[in-house]
Amino acid sequence: MRVELTVNGEARSADIEPRLLLIHYLREHLGLRAANIGCDTTSCGACTVLLDGQSVKSCTVLTAQAAGQEVTTAEGTGTAAAMSVVQAAFRQEHGLQCGFCTPGMVMAATSLLAENPAPTETQVREGLEGNFCRCTGYHNIVRAVLAASAAMTGGGPGDGGPGEGGRTAEPVGATGSEAGQ
């Protein structure tokens, strides 16, 4: 079947198998390697991309479902010489270790900040809870998202910016009474 979609601002057209997953189209057909294949079950978020601005896990989206839409991968958000605000914040705040989850985290954070430019620490943790990192403990990832928010909005402590709540021991998604369990 023939599909036409836009990937990182470039119109693309290809003949594909109807069952081809978007992650495989991006990696194997287009050579875009930032989105990673981690679990194939929507559990880890390493394959997160934006589909018309909304974060989706590309391991469960058929390429045919993306036809006519805009797909943005981490490669489409910035370059080493001109990083996006979110990418720069991840670098500044050391929001990565091995880097496997980083593209998915960056894309989920980009979507979150588009929906809520000044999230609280709790909102960041809830917004990223579908993306797993097995290396960092999430502290610096959350700080990176808050730093990106502050850079985008001119905010600071108290309005979702860096320093909001300081370092905590809760995993991403843990709030209130869940954090102490």
Side-chain angles (χ1 to χ4, degrees):
M1 88 181 288
R2 187 117 187 118
V3 293
E4 295 180 10
L5 60 155
T6 304
V7 179
N8 297 333
E10 185 177 333
R12 300 290 190 146
S13 181
D15 289 317
I16 61 161
E17 289 288 325
R19 65 177 185 247
L20 181 68
L21 293 172
L22 183 57
I23 185 69
H24 295 296
Y25 175 72
L26 295 170
R27 291 180 62 84
E28 297 163 14
H29 290 261
L30 301 183
L32 298 171
R33 302 285 187 185
N36 289 306
I37 300 169
C39 66
D40 283 330
T41 63
T42 74
S43 296
C44 74
C47 67
T48 301
V49 300
L50 302 183
L51 186 59
D52 284 343
Q54 299 293 311
S55 65
V56 299
K57 295 176 181 176
S58 61
C59 72
T60 58
V61 174
L62 296 172
T63 305
Q65 292 173 298
Q69 298 183 65
E70 170 76 28
V71 177
T72 306
T73 68
E75 292 97 339
T77 62
T79 65
M83 290 184 214
S84 73
V85 172
V86 175
Q87 289 169 322
F90 267 71
R91 180 178 181 185
Q92 172 190 323
E93 298 295 329
H94 308 288
L96 57 106
Q97 273 186 322
C98 82
F100 189 79
C101 72
T102 304
M105 288 283 188
V106 166
M107 299 314 292
T110 299
S111 177
L112 170 67
L113 294 174
E115 293 174 25
N116 182 358
T120 64
E121 180 178 332
T122 298
Q123 290 169 327
V124 170
R125 289 179 180 281
E126 290 171 354
L128 296 179
E129 67 185 3
N131 292 71
F132 295 139
C133 176
R134 289 173 170 82
C135 300
T136 68
Y138 301 99
H139 303 298
N140 290 348
I141 292 170
V142 172
R143 287 171 44 113
V145 178
L146 293 172
S149 168
M152 294 166 65
T153 64
D159 40 347
E164 177 74 21
R167 291 180 180 247
T168 62
E170 299 89 31
V172 170
T175 58
S177 62
E178 297 171 27
Q181 294 180 355

